[in-house]
Amino acid sequence: MVKAQASIEIERPPDAVYAFVAEDFERNYPRWSPEVKELRMISKGPMRVGTIARQVRVDQGRRTESTFKITEMQPAQRLTFQGTSFPFLVDYRFDGASEHTKLTFTFELRRLDLMMRPFEKLIRSAVQDGAERTVRNLKRLIEAECAPPQRHSA
């Protein structure tokens, strides 16, 4: 198994960060993860546990197609996907109070094909770099596009 995790502080409340990631997922996911070249929601209606989507990604020149299912959605707390065509897990955790959110992104590649095992160290490094880039991109987009909370003066 290859696992990567990265966290970042975002100067917006958890509900705003969650809304950007989960509620506007179809529009925003390719923006914070430019490796996503195509995203199609297979399930109709709003995102919910059980929603299925298909993505085409190009990671370091390698094109992959996969489908995934939302397995956990807790507003302003957590969003989790699991690959249905390939064994991976993606988890976003939103921790915070009022004006700041600690966003933690985890990616697990649950199995490496036999022919990829000699490259495990390289894959592990690329996956960690990708996790760190993901949280930096999310922070940049959210802080630029989501209005900061109004401060009340006494």
Side-chain angles (χ1 to χ4, degrees):
M1 179 171 74
V2 174
K3 180 177 179 177
Q5 188 171 76
S7 295
I8 201 162
E9 288 287 325
I10 299 176
E11 293 183 29
R12 297 296 181 270
D15 57 340
V17 176
Y18 179 85
F20 186 92
V21 173
E23 294 168 15
D24 294 328
F25 180 80
E26 187 172 8
R27 180 175 79 90
N28 291 331
Y29 176 45
R31 296 173 65 219
W32 79 70
S33 188
E35 302 83 8
V36 176
K37 302 304 179 191
E38 184 182 318
L39 175 67
R40 186 167 58 88
M41 304 309 282
I42 295 170
S43 302
K44 302 294 180 211
M47 285 222 339
R48 63 195 175 285
V49 170
T51 292
I52 297 174
R54 177 186 163 277
Q55 67 179 342
V56 175
R57 297 177 56 97
V58 177
D59 293 283
Q60 299 192 342
R62 185 165 182 242
R63 182 183 189 276
T64 57
E65 290 185 34
S66 62
T67 55
F68 57 89
K69 178 192 282 191
I70 297 173
T71 56
E72 191 169 347
M73 262 185 109
Q74 297 174 8
Q77 294 178 21
R78 189 172 213 160
L79 176 65
T80 307
F81 312 137
Q82 288 194 24
T84 58
S85 61
F86 193 75
F88 67 88
L89 177 123
V90 174
D91 184 56
Y92 299 87
R93 279 196 322 258
F94 310 86
D95 298 305
S98 68
E99 299 175 14
H100 292 42
T101 302
K102 178 182 178 188
L103 173 66
T104 301
F105 171 78
T106 304
F107 177 81
E108 293 178 7
L109 191 55
R110 296 200 157 159
R111 186 185 76 236
L112 276 182
D113 291 335
L114 190 58
M115 65 184 196
M116 299 304 283
R117 288 192 185 144
F119 307 104
E120 183 172 350
K121 188 175 181 182
L122 193 62
I123 292 167
R124 195 175 296 280
S125 176
V127 167
Q128 184 62 43
D129 288 347
E132 291 168 9
R133 189 171 45 256
T134 294
V135 297
R136 284 193 311 268
N137 288 347
L138 278 162
K139 176 181 176 69
R140 178 180 48 80
L141 288 166
I142 292 167
E143 289 181 355
E145 297 179 19
C146 298
Q150 296 295 315
R151 297 189 189 274
H152 300 288
S153 54

